[in-house]
Amino acid sequence: MVKHWRVDREEKYEIVEKWFLKDLEMIDGKEADTDNPYFDMHFHKVYHMEAYSCASKYTFARTLNKLNATYLKKDFKIVNFDDTYLNDDSIWSSSNRDFLVVMRVCFYASNLLCLSLCRFS
């Protein structure tokens, strides 16, 4: 866990706490339907975290999942996350997730507009 603060124009970071991935039991995104940066990490106790953005929360979860799959291959739970954004094989996956979320919303909105303009006989 890193603490971030600013002193005048200078940004400072300090490592406050470290954990081993093997000790992580679960990561809980709290609400999969809501765009929020909050999540819980379950070790021997529960740590309440806040990411910089919702996109960075999902990037963090994907990274933990990949590290686990590559090195540990243990039973690792990721709950209350939208699976569409957790999988790299998704058509919405990219390094710039925020832009893709907006694209997805626009895609659905244009489909709704097209459907509303269609005449049914």
Side-chain angles (χ1 to χ4, degrees), residues 34-115:
T34 309
D35 187 19
N36 71 52
Y38 304 104
F39 63 97
D40 292 337
M41 293 177 65
H42 295 250
F43 290 95
H44 59 280
K45 72 178 224 180
V46 178
Y47 292 91
H48 307 286
M49 310 294 247
E50 180 181 359
Y52 180 73
S53 66
C54 187
S56 61
K57 173 176 90 170
Y58 274 87
T59 301
F60 182 69
R62 270 191 308 279
T63 303
L64 290 178
N65 198 25
K66 281 184 185 177
L67 287 170
N68 178 52
T70 303
Y71 298 107
L72 297 177
K73 297 175 180 62
K74 73 171 202 160
D75 185 24
F76 177 66
K77 298 177 190 166
I78 299 178
V79 297
N80 295 320
F81 281 84
D82 187 346
D83 290 335
T84 306
Y85 301 108
L86 280 178
N87 300 325
D88 275 341
D89 58 349
S90 167
I91 62 169
W92 306 110
S93 63
S94 161
S95 60
N96 192 352
R97 302 265 181 222
D98 291 333
F99 175 73
L100 290 171
V101 169
V102 172
M103 267 183 43
R104 187 174 188 184
V105 169
C106 291
F107 174 74
Y108 288 131
S110 66
N111 283 343
L112 287 172
L113 179 65
C114 288
L115 284 173

